[in-house]
Amino acid sequence: MIVLNVARPAGQADPVELAGAALAAGLDGVALADSPRLFPDCLVETERVLSNTPARLAGPCVLSLGLRHPAAVAGAVRTLDAHHPGRVLTVVGRGESSVRNEGLAPPSLRAYEASLRTLRELVPASALLLGAASGPRTIAATAARLGGVLIDAGADPAIVGKAVALARSARPDVPVWMFVRAVVTDDDAAADAAAAPVLGSCAARLVQAPDWFDVPVALRTGVAAVADAHDYRRHGTAEARTGRDVPAGADRFVRDRFVVTGERQAVAARFAAFGAVGVDGVVLAGALDGVLDRLDDLGRAVRDGLTKDGR
């Protein structure tokens, strides 16, 4: 299964129209970002997409448990699933721009685990429920408590494989999806431009777990500078980079570790590698420049790559 994460600021695009474009490009549906100061309400828009398109899957991604109580989340998902059985995708997480833009900190891992247990008890099995996770502790906790994981571990197949193996170490049957930042590009300049809106948030993941992501010691200060230069009030837009200096090479390292770029054949080859390590489904980041412009090429590349692995 392949869905497009719709992350367009309120008023810029209609999620129903974007879902139609995703389906026309051969994808299975859409996921809707949750950050109240930036995007339309993801639960309301999920209902609109499922009612107005034949999407196989649609739903919030990533729904912030730093802002929303798990019982309220479960009630909304149960209601959506009752109206659209088997078509609801729900990805929850500790929160990123959603909490930062309200001056809040993400919940502790212990509090987050408690929320995951509540969700697992209250959300029906017919709704696909995943927890977003980047680092090893969150991946392991999510697999154990929720039983479904969306790993956000970058674009290096070796690290992705490590994350998939960790998620399945306790429960071999746990569904493991992958959040992927990917765009078909013709040259490095286009790749740099496409990746710019998300580099800071990607760098923040590297900073939080540098050993897990195999960040060389010599590059850690530069990667931290990339993270510090990200303005979460403009998350997912070209204006997200502040004017702070970033050491030469740090942006490129983060891009190469977290974003799949290149011509269609190269993108397909990378997705074949993801399929080979056991990824069950893919959520494509929609915030990169060029994704919507070349969505047909991207959809074909992802489908071709995963099909080569028999998925």
Side-chain angles (χ1 to χ4, degrees), residues 14 36 103 207 260 277:
D14 181 1
V207 170
V260 179
V277 299

Tab-separated table of all heavy atoms in Angstrom, residues 14 36 103 207 260 277:
chain	number	residue	atom	x	y	z
A	14	ASP	N	-7.029	21.754	-1.830
A	14	ASP	CA	-8.131	20.973	-1.294
A	14	ASP	C	-7.687	19.518	-1.163
A	14	ASP	O	-7.303	18.895	-2.156
A	14	ASP	CB	-9.326	21.068	-2.253
A	14	ASP	CG	-10.540	20.295	-1.751
A	14	ASP	OD1	-10.460	19.702	-0.657
A	14	ASP	OD2	-11.562	20.289	-2.460
A	36	PRO	N	-2.454	22.043	14.029
A	36	PRO	CA	-3.593	22.956	13.915
A	36	PRO	C	-3.273	24.357	13.432
A	36	PRO	O	-4.121	24.998	12.808
A	36	PRO	CB	-4.151	22.968	15.337
A	36	PRO	CG	-3.765	21.658	15.915
A	36	PRO	CD	-2.416	21.367	15.338
A	103	GLY	N	3.997	25.900	22.132
A	103	GLY	CA	4.869	26.094	23.281
A	103	GLY	C	4.895	24.924	24.225
A	103	GLY	O	5.225	25.072	25.414
A	207	VAL	N	19.988	14.243	15.474
A	207	VAL	CA	20.548	14.773	16.718
A	207	VAL	C	20.080	13.961	17.918
A	207	VAL	O	20.841	13.707	18.852
A	207	VAL	CB	20.152	16.259	16.885
A	207	VAL	CG1	20.497	16.772	18.274
A	207	VAL	CG2	20.854	17.112	15.830
A	260	VAL	N	15.121	10.470	-0.584
A	260	VAL	CA	15.388	9.708	-1.804
A	260	VAL	C	15.199	10.647	-2.990
A	260	VAL	O	14.104	11.191	-3.190
A	260	VAL	CB	14.441	8.505	-1.939
A	260	VAL	CG1	14.737	7.739	-3.230
A	260	VAL	CG2	14.556	7.583	-0.738
A	277	VAL	N	13.861	-5.319	2.871
A	277	VAL	CA	14.097	-5.433	4.319
A	277	VAL	C	12.801	-5.585	5.099
A	277	VAL	O	12.820	-5.627	6.333
A	277	VAL	CB	14.911	-4.237	4.856
A	277	VAL	CG1	16.278	-4.183	4.193
A	277	VAL	CG2	14.168	-2.908	4.682
